[in-house]
Amino acid sequence: MKRKVIYLYKETHLPAEGWLQGCFICDTITSKTEEFKPIIVNEKVKYVVHICPTCLRHKNNNKELNDLYKQQLNDYITHLY
């Protein structure tokens, strides 16, 4: 079964179809991504978040920032549907 991929990022001046997008946290242009597993799991959808290396490092080293990041992504995904 092929899964639909949804990319999550901050809007920038760049086209939505490109591989460079705004970091979900700081809006910096980045090609770096990570897969996100939401609270409500949908086996047909894969979520990929654009996140710059600096924000990734900060969120991985700061529990409060990591929790806020997860909450914002879950809220965003919930509002998509």
Side-chain angles (χ1 to χ4, degrees):
M1 172 174 69
K2 188 172 180 178
R3 291 174 24 179
K4 178 179 178 180
V5 178
I6 296 179
Y7 291 91
L8 304 172
Y9 53 87
K10 293 287 178 100
E11 281 191 40
T12 64
H13 64 284
L14 298 169
E17 302 82 32
W19 57 279
L20 290 173
Q21 297 297 337
C23 171
F24 190 82
I25 295 175
C26 74
D27 301 338
T28 298
I29 305 301
T30 185
S31 65
K32 302 297 182 189
T33 61
E34 72 172 359
E35 186 173 346
F36 178 72
K37 306 236 188 269
I39 293 172
I40 300 170
V41 177
N42 181 346
E43 297 297 325
K44 297 178 183 177
V45 179
K46 175 181 174 181
Y47 297 97
V48 177
V49 182
H50 282 265
I51 184 167
C52 71
T54 302
C55 288
L56 181 62
R57 187 173 52 254
H58 286 307
K59 99 169 173 63
N60 288 340
N61 292 329
N62 184 321
K63 182 178 178 351
E64 289 177 9
L65 180 60
N66 193 24
D67 291 344
L68 179 62
Y69 170 78
K70 289 178 183 177
Q71 183 60 47
Q72 287 180 343
L73 283 170
N74 279 308
D75 289 347
Y76 186 83
I77 290 168
T78 300
H79 287 96
L80 286 176
Y81 303 103

